[in-house]
Amino acid sequence: MSSTHTQLGLQLQPRLTFTSLLLPSHPLITFSSRLHNRSFKRRCVSITTSASNEPNDVVEQKPKQQSAVKRAYPFHEIEPKWQRYWEKDGTFRTPDEVDMSKPKFYVLDMFPYPSGAGLHVGHPLGYTATDILARVKRMQGYNVLHPMGWDAFGLPAEQYAIETGTHPKITTLKNIDRFRSQLKSLGFSYDWDREISTTEPEYYKWTQWIFLQLLKRGLAYQAEVPVNWCPALGTVLANEEVIDGLSERGGHPVIRKPMKQWMLKITAYADRLLEDLDDLDWPESIKEMQRNWIGKSEGAEMEFSVLSSDGQERDIKITIYTTRPDTIFGATYLVIAPEHPLLSSLVSTAQRESVEEYIDVASRKSDLERTELQKEKTGVFSGCYAKNPVNGEAIPIWVADYVLGSYGTGAIMAVPAHDTRDYEFASKYDIPIRWVVMPHDKKLSGSGKAYSGEGNVINSSNTTLGLDINSLSSKEAAFKVIEWAEKTGNGKNKVNYKLRDWLFARQRYWGEPIPVVFSDDGDEGVPIHETELPLTLPELDDFSPTGTGEPPLAKAVSWVKTKDPLSGKPARRETSTMPQWAGSCWYYLRFMDPKNSKELVAKTKEMYWSPVDVYVGGAEHAVLHLLYARFWHKVLYDIGVVSTKEPFKCVINQGIILGEVQYIAYKDSDGNFVSADSDTSAELQQEIIPEEKVIKSGDSFVLKDNPEISLIARSHKMSKSRGNVVNPDDVVSEYGADSLRLYEMFMGPLRDSKQWNTSGIEGVHRFLGRAWRLVVGSTLSDGTLKEGTVVTDEDPTSEQLRSLHKCIAKVTEEIEATRFNTGISAMMEFINVAYKWKKHPRVIIEAFVLLLAPYAPHMAEELWFRLGHSKSLAYEAFPKVNPAYLEESTILLPVQINGKTRGTIQVEKTCSEEDAFLLASKDEKLSKYLDGVSIKKRIFVPGKILNVILDRQNVKAAVR
């Protein structure tokens, strides 16, 4: 390359830094929500489209069919050509042994599940972003690790197997082939030699190995836990298979039933998982979600003695956990969970039947349903009382499902004056409400609502027992209550967590076998030898549930029968399998060393590539996947397998691409349109209105032919059930992969949600067409293209260099901040300017092609080839800015007449006084002050100001 070309550059930091972007509210979404709330008053009997007036089963309209469009450039030839080249050349393969003296960049997409539906246009959003980062970093001299694989165990493939008899492995491999083909068609620079699947024995051997390490350290154990049991189907169901207490398949009743399950002791790492969040470059919202999920709280455990029917203390005590011991004098009842182990020994004979009925109803609800804040509180009196330890009062013990047996002690002291849930419950069941905390703002005490804040304690003294906390602040009072409880044996200080141990078993076939056996004469699990890994799944023809609660693997009788590795006695294998997310907890490590059969990852490779520098995926994985992966990573850190405390340095959550906006109108029984914001209880029909018949009016959308009729504008997440999925294959076929990539980045900030608009892709397609013609020239009269390019080998002008370096600076800055949309805008501005030039120097055009390459790699490769280069541009140096070219050579110089500013003129920075005055004299606005007048003197400060002082006579003439 020429010496001029090598001077194009910007010195960057060794690592990317990323800024957080806020998610703005979209006017369409806001308007839709407002109208949707009003529409609950109506009864909508059917939905039609204005084109056919025929009933439709769903509100959502199908994606519009695109009419044929003239290709702006020959992408249909370019893209397959370069995809073949990259694959044959191994362009993006990261060698097993790299030069570790060079900086590294490990950029990773969250493991996709290869569903049968394939990709929709929402999927490539994050993939395109990581690909841009990977391509830029390669060009900046980094060793880049950018792999792809499959989180392929899962329920959908097994359900399909049950319905059709097709083995899940066949379905999974077919889906993976489709996903891989679609991803390759989009030009993503993945190292496909490192491709892994969680379903391959070579991979899950190490998932099983990690489980054995957890078992050795007491972090894996078995316990009786409630599961979703469907008697009609004879199987345990996952939470996502249960809808409103019924099985998704068949609509059968589902109950919560205790069953022995494998658990992972993630709670042992709660403090470390919480503390280490502070050092991560993650969105604060994601870190806060993890903090809330871990739910560390400090409070007290207090003991309440259960009373007999004659008011005497029994030998039974209920231990409660509270974060507000300062309010204990306000406790007017206790609540225990329906599954509390002491409940059966507490219930009175008179209340037993009612309590058992309530327990049965509660067993059909999920924990989420039970703790939903908006739901109406329900409960039943146990018929028993307990003694409040601080004042000796007998308070009733209630059973209510808003208390969970899995949190705290499964029992709470209820203080209705100072807890919203307790207040609603007490109000419903006419239980006394006693204020014991006076808010600092006295008005809040008479609001008729619970006050959950802090203040000064009142009504809280028992001198007989030696406890008086009146007038103390809430914090002081809490400390004193705990001190009193520990001294008298009524309680103790306690740190608690919402985080629960991880249920680590599924009663399914399609998952990793758990490498444990049980002797025929015992229930103690014994791990198999590590040399026997992988323990592979047996072949089955029947994947349906057994009907007894045993997993499908129990049908593989010869596989189940084995020997105890310790005693050699007959034994049986564990027939539950690991949950789907087991394999995705550590896959980022295997990508570093995917072919290693001797260890999970070689130490030298792990130390070089760890941690993942940028991890991109949806916010729906904010808690479970990221938390479980962090837990496993910390265990691996403790046993010396990994060298970092955390797996992912920077996490970015891309926004959601919603389906195209849909416009809906209401019609009455006579077929007349009714405005969506009207207040009517009439029976109405909904009709989908085509976009061309809609206009915007303020914040609303109305009918073009009748602006009095407001419409509902909706945009939903893409899903097959809604019929609003846009297939990327169709977009690639019509506009090309580069246009799709560019449009997904141009729609808005990466982290924001946005609406898909197929017509919007035409704009970026035209931009690529203009970029193509700028370099190659227009199509010849016979429809063919000329060979090579229209660039020249002349030296660029200062103006051209300034335009280029302004573009380089902006594109580089926006890539660093993942503001890809504004980087594209900068390139569009450059093209607009470049079209005004008569000649296009090679050094300018080549630099622009390199800037374009991460975004539109197929076109850039073709242009680079036409510019005379024989190798891929994938490892060419990314353009660097020369700050000297960013400085403007001209300035706006203020011009004063007798000390009063009358205008400005554009001058060179080095402009002389004489030249400045000459330009001012020719300026249309300033010349009227200077023509034919006598000048007393001129005051000129270079680059600052020109002040022309006129003779007094001239001043009078100017006034007249």
Side-chain angles (χ1 to χ4, degrees):
M1 300 176 70
S2 67
S3 59
T4 309
H5 202 207
T6 57
Q7 291 172 0
L8 306 174
L10 169 65
Q11 300 301 321
L12 298 177
Q13 297 298 320
R15 288 286 183 271
L16 288 176
T17 55
F18 299 88
T19 57
S20 296
L21 299 177
L22 297 175
L23 179 67
S25 60
H26 193 285
L28 298 186
I29 298 173
T30 305
F31 180 65
S32 170
S33 316
R34 194 168 64 242
L35 294 185
H36 181 67
N37 291 336
R38 294 175 182 171
S39 68
F40 277 119
K41 299 176 183 177
R42 306 182 179 90
R43 183 181 170 200
C44 301
V45 295
S46 69
I47 302 158
T48 62
T49 61
S50 61
S52 66
N53 260 357
E54 293 178 1
N56 196 337
D57 291 331
V58 292
V59 173
E60 291 71 23
Q61 69 186 56
K62 302 234 173 149
K64 294 180 289 187
Q65 295 294 319
Q66 288 296 304
S67 58
V69 54
K70 183 178 178 181
R71 296 187 182 101
Y73 66 99
F75 63 82
H76 61 297
E77 299 172 359
I78 294 170
E79 293 179 353
K81 167 187 172 181
W82 286 102
Q83 288 165 17
R84 288 192 299 270
Y85 173 90
W86 293 330
E87 187 159 357
K88 182 179 179 181
D89 182 63
T91 304
F92 307 116
R93 181 180 177 275
T94 303
D96 289 335
E97 303 298 330
V98 297
D99 180 0
M100 294 189 178
S101 65
K102 293 174 63 177
K104 65 91 178 179
F105 185 67
Y106 185 0
V107 57
L108 186 63
D109 298 294
M110 288 189 184
F111 230 14
Y113 173 74
S115 67
L119 296 177
H120 63 64
V121 292
H123 292 115
L125 179 64
Y127 302 158
T128 303
T130 58
D131 195 59
I132 291 171
L133 296 174
R135 288 176 177 274
V136 169
K137 281 300 185 178
R138 285 192 196 96
M139 298 171 78
Q140 290 175 341
Y142 285 69
N143 288 326
V144 172
L145 187 58
H146 187 38
M148 176 51 73
W150 317 104
D151 187 14
F153 277 126
L155 191 59
E158 184 159 352
Q159 286 296 108
Y160 187 74
I162 293 170
E163 294 166 6
T164 67
T166 307
H167 196 286
K169 185 173 184 178
I170 296 173
T171 306
T172 299
L173 290 175
K174 180 181 177 181
N175 294 345
I176 287 175
D177 287 343
R178 174 164 167 73
F179 259 69
R180 187 192 304 110
S181 174
Q182 288 184 296
L183 291 176
K184 285 186 175 181
S185 76
L186 294 171
F188 296 133
S189 61
Y190 295 124
D191 178 359
W192 287 106
D193 285 356
R194 293 176 182 260
E195 180 183 6
I196 56 178
S197 168
T198 55
T199 61
E200 295 301 322
E202 296 80 7
Y203 180 85
Y204 68 68
K205 165 186 177 178
W206 298 105
T207 309
Q208 293 171 332
W209 181 86
I210 294 173
F211 177 84
L212 293 181
Q213 310 316 305
L214 293 164
L215 192 61
K216 286 179 186 177
R217 285 154 183 80
L219 297 171
Y221 64 97
Q222 284 191 297
E224 290 274 342
V225 295
V227 296
N228 300 314
W229 171 252
C230 179
L233 297 178
T235 186
V236 174
L237 301 179
N239 287 334
E240 59 267 27
E241 297 175 276
V242 182
I243 301 174
D244 296 329
L246 301 176
S247 63
E248 184 180 33
R249 183 164 58 94
H252 303 295
V254 177
I255 62 173
R256 300 281 281 174
K257 174 183 176 181
M259 187 175 287
K260 201 168 188 180
Q261 300 279 13
W262 284 99
M263 308 290 291
L264 296 188
K265 202 169 185 179
I266 190 173
T267 50
Y269 282 73
D271 281 324
R272 288 168 63 183
L273 289 167
L274 191 62
E275 292 162 5
D276 292 345
L277 281 171
D278 295 337
D279 299 327
L280 296 177
D281 181 16
W282 291 17
E284 192 56 41
S285 60
I286 300 300
K287 293 199 284 187
E288 191 60 25
M289 287 173 72
Q290 291 214 358
R291 291 187 187 104
N292 291 337
W293 190 267
I294 295 168
K296 182 177 181 179
S297 61
E298 295 188 32
E301 280 188 352
M302 303 292 293
E303 291 187 342
F304 286 68
S305 296
V306 177
L307 301 177
S308 61
S309 57
D310 59 358
Q312 300 299 309
E313 292 187 27
R314 296 170 59 185
D315 292 335
I316 304 174
K317 291 189 176 182
I318 297 176
T319 302
I320 63 93
Y321 172 75
T322 177
T323 59
R324 293 293 303 273
D326 57 308
T327 65
I328 191 169
F329 280 90
T332 55
Y333 64 104
L334 296 186
V335 181
I336 62 175
E339 59 273 18
H340 196 286
L342 292 179
L343 180 55
S344 60
S345 61
L346 300 179
V347 182
S348 68
T349 303
Q351 288 294 106
R352 187 166 298 279
E353 184 176 349
S354 297
V355 170
E356 288 177 351
E357 287 178 1
Y358 187 82
I359 292 172
D360 181 61
V361 172
S363 71
R364 302 177 191 274
K365 299 179 183 178
S366 69
D367 289 353
L368 188 61
E369 289 176 296
R370 287 172 55 178
T371 55
E372 172 59 47
L373 292 176
Q374 303 304 320
K375 83 175 188 76
E376 183 181 0
K377 306 299 179 289
T378 63
V380 61
F381 178 43
S382 69
C384 188
Y385 291 80
K387 186 176 79 171
N388 187 329
V390 297
N391 57 18
E393 288 184 1
I395 58 177
I397 302 171
W398 284 74
V399 184
D401 62 8
Y402 74 87
V403 175
L404 301 177
S406 59
Y407 178 67
T409 63
I412 66 165
M413 66 175 199
V415 186
H418 304 295
D419 182 274
T420 302
R421 293 184 309 172
D422 296 346
Y423 182 87
E424 292 172 358
F425 191 92
S427 299
K428 179 176 180 178
Y429 293 106
D430 198 25
I431 301 172
I433 299 172
R434 179 185 302 141
W435 278 74
V436 292
V437 176
M438 179 60 66
H440 298 299
D441 182 354
K442 300 296 191 294
K443 295 178 182 177
L444 295 175
S445 61
S447 63
K449 300 178 181 178
Y451 172 71
S452 58
E454 296 185 352
N456 292 323
V457 176
I458 59 174
N459 302 326
S460 301
S461 175
N462 187 336
T463 54
T464 303
L465 294 177
L467 181 61
D468 182 0
I469 55 174
N470 277 333
S471 301
L472 297 179
S473 68
S474 292
K475 288 183 179 179
E476 292 172 325
F479 177 80
K480 192 168 183 179
V481 169
I482 294 172
E483 185 179 51
W484 173 86
E486 290 179 337
K487 184 177 179 180
T488 59
N490 285 296
K492 61 182 179 180
N493 184 59
K494 179 71 175 178
V495 176
N496 207 3
Y497 301 89
K498 288 183 182 177
L499 182 67
R500 302 270 69 85
D501 283 344
W502 176 8
L503 176 61
F504 195 74
R506 294 280 290 274
Q507 283 63 51
R508 297 288 179 182
Y509 167 75
W510 194 230
E512 299 93 338
I514 295 175
V516 170
V517 302
F518 301 89
S519 62
D520 286 350
D521 55 1
D523 290 328
E524 191 69 30
V526 178
I528 67 174
H529 290 303
E530 292 179 12
T531 55
E532 295 181 33
L533 300 178
L535 173 60
T536 57
L537 278 170
E539 292 295 325
L540 280 184
D541 295 324
D542 180 12
F543 313 100
S544 60
T546 60
T548 63
E550 285 189 295
L553 278 179
K555 298 176 182 180
V557 178
S558 61
W559 180 85
V560 172
K561 289 183 178 180
T562 185
K563 290 185 177 181
D564 186 320
L566 298 179
S567 66
K569 294 181 179 180
R572 63 192 186 281
R573 297 193 189 279
E574 171 62 74
T575 52
S576 291
T577 54
M578 298 184 193
Q580 177 181 347
W581 45 85
S584 63
C585 281
W586 70 279
Y587 72 103
Y588 58 93
L589 293 171
R590 193 60 177 172
F591 278 137
M592 301 174 187
D593 197 8
K595 304 293 192 298
N596 194 332
S597 61
K598 296 181 179 179
E599 55 188 333
L600 186 148
V601 59
K603 193 68 178 175
T604 53
K605 293 179 180 179
E606 184 279 324
M607 291 182 71
Y608 178 71
W609 287 114
S610 286
V612 175
D613 293 286
V614 177
Y615 192 35
V616 177
E620 65 271 20
H621 303 296
V623 175
L624 297 183
H625 162 61
L626 288 174
L627 196 63
Y628 294 156
R630 293 180 62 220
F631 165 47
W632 277 31
H633 191 89
K634 290 183 182 301
V635 174
L636 294 174
Y637 175 79
D638 289 348
I639 64 177
V641 175
V642 298
S643 58
T644 63
K645 292 182 179 180
E646 289 287 338
F648 314 117
K649 181 179 179 182
C650 171
V651 168
I652 298 176
N653 297 130
Q654 84 272 15
I656 297 171
I657 292 184
L658 304 170
E660 294 201 62
V661 178
Q662 179 186 78
Y663 304 98
I664 299 172
Y666 287 112
K667 276 188 172 181
D668 60 22
S669 57
D670 295 327
N672 299 314
F673 283 113
V674 177
S675 188
D677 56 5
S678 65
D679 189 7
T680 176
S681 58
E683 202 171 76
L684 301 176
Q685 295 188 1
Q686 294 183 10
E687 181 175 306
I688 298 171
I689 306 298
E691 185 178 359
E692 60 270 16
K693 295 184 179 182
V694 177
I695 59 172
K696 192 172 186 196
S697 176
D699 290 337
S700 305
F701 290 88
V702 298
L703 283 177
K704 184 184 292 184
D705 295 337
N706 186 356
E708 297 298 317
I709 302 298
S710 295
L711 307 175
I712 290 178
R714 288 179 181 167
S715 192
H716 296 281
K717 184 177 179 181
M718 288 187 185
S719 68
K720 187 177 179 181
S721 62
R722 291 188 180 279
N724 65 346
V725 170
V726 178
N727 189 330
D729 297 349
D730 298 334
V731 179
V732 169
S733 174
E734 190 156 0
Y735 296 100
D738 285 345
S739 292
L740 175 60
R741 290 168 59 109
L742 212 65
Y743 178 58
E744 298 231 346
M745 295 296 96
F746 191 59
M747 290 172 73
L750 175 63
R751 295 163 175 82
D752 288 5
S753 294
K754 40 246 173 198
Q755 277 93 14
W756 177 267
N757 184 348
T758 303
S759 61
I761 201 171
E762 295 174 5
V764 295
H765 186 64
R766 286 194 299 270
F767 159 69
L768 288 175
R770 295 189 76 209
W772 173 266
R773 293 190 298 275
L774 180 75
V775 183
V776 176
S778 300
T779 306
L780 300 177
S781 58
D782 62 357
T784 62
L785 295 165
K786 64 170 291 183
E787 295 293 327
T789 65
V790 295
V791 302
T792 69
D793 290 320
E794 299 179 9
D795 291 334
T797 66
S798 296
E799 177 194 348
Q800 290 172 328
L801 286 169
R802 276 196 296 273
S803 296
L804 172 65
H805 282 268
K806 182 180 178 182
C807 183
I808 293 172
K810 185 65 174 176
V811 171
T812 306
E813 177 187 349
E814 301 307 82
I815 287 175
E816 288 180 3
T818 65
R819 295 189 295 261
F820 303 111
N821 56 318
T822 46
I824 295 170
S825 296
M827 289 188 283
M828 289 178 170
E829 291 172 10
F830 173 83
I831 288 292
N832 289 338
V833 172
Y835 259 85
K836 298 176 184 177
W837 301 337
K838 292 182 179 180
K839 296 182 179 180
H840 300 92
R842 175 180 298 276
V843 67
I844 300 291
I845 297 304
E846 288 194 344
F848 174 74
V849 170
L850 293 173
L851 282 180
L852 181 65
Y855 291 88
H858 305 91
M859 173 184 279
E861 289 277 23
E862 182 66 17
L863 293 177
W864 191 249
F865 175 73
R866 283 172 167 266
L867 285 163
H869 302 276
S870 59
K871 292 184 178 180
S872 168
L873 53 64
Y875 294 91
E876 292 291 330
F878 195 71
K880 297 180 180 180
V881 75
N882 185 336
Y885 290 122
L886 298 182
E887 295 182 14
E888 296 291 342
S889 62
T890 62
I891 61 169
L892 277 178
L893 184 73
V895 178
Q896 294 183 340
I897 307 297
N898 289 333
K900 187 171 183 179
T901 301
R902 297 294 186 179
T904 59
I905 53 174
Q906 190 89 21
V907 301
E908 294 288 331
K909 282 186 175 181
T910 57
C911 179
S912 66
E913 178 182 339
E914 195 60 40
D915 288 340
F917 179 73
L918 184 61
L919 288 170
S921 300
K922 294 179 179 180
D923 183 83
E924 182 179 356
K925 185 177 179 181
L926 296 170
S927 59
K928 64 182 180 182
Y929 296 102
L930 301 175
D931 287 349
V933 298
S934 174
I935 295 172
K936 185 175 182 180
K937 65 175 180 177
R938 297 193 304 236
I939 302 171
F940 179 67
V941 180
K944 299 294 184 181
I945 197 167
L946 170 64
N947 187 5
V948 181
I949 309 299
L950 306 181
D951 283 339
R952 186 176 296 277
Q953 182 179 353
N954 293 323
V955 174
K956 292 178 180 178
V959 171
R960 288 196 299 272

